Amino acid sequence: MTRQEATQRTVTTSDGRHLAVETSGAPDGPAVFLLHGTPGSRSGPRPRGIVVYRLGVHLVCYDRPGYGDSDRHEGRRVADAAADVAAIADDLGIDRFAVVGRSGGGPHALACAALLPDRVTRAAVLVGLAPAGAPDLDWYAGMAESNVEDYGQADEDLAELTLNLKVRAEEARRDPMTLLDFLRPQLPDEDIRVVDDVAIRRLLTDMYAEALRHGPEGWIDDVLAIRRGWGFDLGAIQAEVRLWHGEQDRFSPVEHSHWLASQIPRAEVQVQPGAAHFGAVEILPQTLTWLATPDLATSPQV
């Protein structure tokens, strides 16, 4: 293997859109696609390139449509992520790969697993969400007020959602710390510990700045896609799936992972006490190892 720092490229989809892609780590190692949260971008929190290299992983990140330097795909569904990931993999010459989605990226990772069964080796979801209208799940129970408001407006008042996210995105473009300041009163102590780490806070603010520098369209489209029909069957997922959740998560409550596990044939749940939503940043290196080395992986405690 040759050490590789992060490299940038643009991939053109079959319908002519452009996707901003970043790769890092070991170029001849097992490929893992990391799908960022909401809002987020390809520069989202992840291990440094040298750490990814030492893990032996070829890490691929990209801006979902409407974020960063990726063209918007208005009206996109969660399922549409599979075609975009396939286009990137084809451009990079990658046949088979694993996927991991964090928070709002979780449903999109599951779409890849369901719709690209011959290509996805394993999938992981960190602090993910269940589909809207999931039977026997109180979707909003335990969820922070800001998420309840945003997702509720996606159902009931698109104009208000658009206005609110435009204002928040404009504030974040001027000073990305405003997003963390907005969230802070809603964070449990477990999350405050993570975001108060100087290095992690810098990664988060850099991600927000990149995600929203052209506007809030990606954020708006993510919220709408998550609350509308996802466009695929969770029961069709053939790959092993690991669902990790911080027990104290207030942004995507842990019950969402338990519900997903009940629908996905080969899913296992790992709930970590003393962790919450942003604990997904800290668990990522361990998750990458599990994704890239299935023969060495051990089952988590359930």
Side-chain angles (χ1 to χ4, degrees):
M1 292 185 296
T2 302
R3 175 180 171 181
Q4 180 181 337
E5 298 300 337
T7 61
Q8 314 283 335
R9 67 196 296 142
T10 299
V11 173
T12 303
T13 64
S14 60
D15 59 354
R17 291 178 294 106
H18 299 98
L19 299 172
V21 180
E22 183 171 303
T23 61
S24 61
D28 57 350
V32 178
F33 278 74
L34 171 59
L35 280 62
H36 62 72
T38 302
S41 75
R42 67 190 186 281
S43 64
R46 61 181 186 272
R48 291 182 298 120
I50 185 59
V51 175
V52 179
Y53 171 79
R54 288 172 178 163
L55 292 174
V57 170
H58 182 194
L59 188 64
V60 183
C61 306
Y62 77 103
D63 295 336
R64 270 196 303 283
Y67 287 114
D69 286 330
S70 288
D71 294 338
R72 188 180 189 185
H73 182 185
E74 194 168 0
R76 62 179 165 89
R77 302 176 305 162
V78 170
D80 294 327
D84 285 351
V85 167
I88 295 168
D90 290 345
D91 188 80
L92 293 169
I94 298 170
D95 181 27
R96 289 171 59 77
F97 48 86
V99 290
V100 52
R102 182 167 49 213
S103 189
H108 297 85
L110 293 175
C112 296
L115 299 174
L116 304 172
D118 296 331
R119 303 189 73 170
V120 172
T121 56
R122 268 185 167 181
V125 175
L126 311 179
V127 296
L129 289 160
D136 303 317
L137 174 68
D138 185 344
W139 206 86
Y140 289 111
M143 190 176 285
E145 180 181 349
S146 62
N147 272 20
V148 172
E149 180 176 315
D150 289 347
Y151 288 120
Q153 288 173 351
D155 295 343
E156 300 168 5
D157 194 339
L158 178 56
E160 187 69 15
L161 172 70
T162 300
L163 176 61
N164 287 342
L165 295 189
K166 279 184 175 178
V167 170
R168 238 180 284 170
E170 181 58 35
E171 291 173 346
R173 282 203 297 276
R174 292 195 298 266
D175 178 7
M177 268 301 297
T178 61
L179 268 183
L180 285 180
D181 291 341
F182 174 80
L183 293 174
R184 191 177 183 88
Q186 306 171 72
L187 296 177
D189 291 342
E190 294 83 355
D191 274 340
I192 290 175
R193 175 189 62 79
V194 177
V195 301
D196 277 352
D197 179 277
V198 173
I200 292 177
R201 187 165 64 244
R202 177 62 182 272
L203 289 171
L204 289 168
T205 54
D206 286 352
M207 174 188 69
Y208 294 145
E210 175 64 20
L212 302 171
R213 64 190 177 92
H214 294 305
E217 285 77 14
W219 194 356
I220 294 167
D221 293 342
D222 259 5
V223 172
L224 293 175
I226 288 169
R227 282 298 297 171
R228 294 173 178 171
W230 286 4
F232 65 93
D233 177 13
L234 290 166
I237 297 174
Q238 300 173 17
E240 290 181 273
V241 177
R242 175 175 288 187
L243 304 161
W244 181 93
H245 229 110
E247 189 174 42
Q248 306 305 318
D249 194 337
R250 294 179 185 169
F251 293 93
S252 47
V254 68
E255 288 77 10
H256 285 243
S257 278
H258 287 304
W259 188 90
L260 288 169
S262 73
Q263 307 298 308
I264 299 170
R266 301 177 66 197
E268 55 186 10
V269 182
Q270 184 179 22
V271 177
Q272 184 168 322
H277 195 73
F278 286 96
V281 176
E282 298 181 316
I283 201 67
L284 181 57
Q286 178 183 326
T287 303
L288 293 176
T289 299
W290 179 79
L291 289 165
T293 56
D295 56 321
L296 300 178
T298 58
S299 298
Q301 294 181 352
V302 177

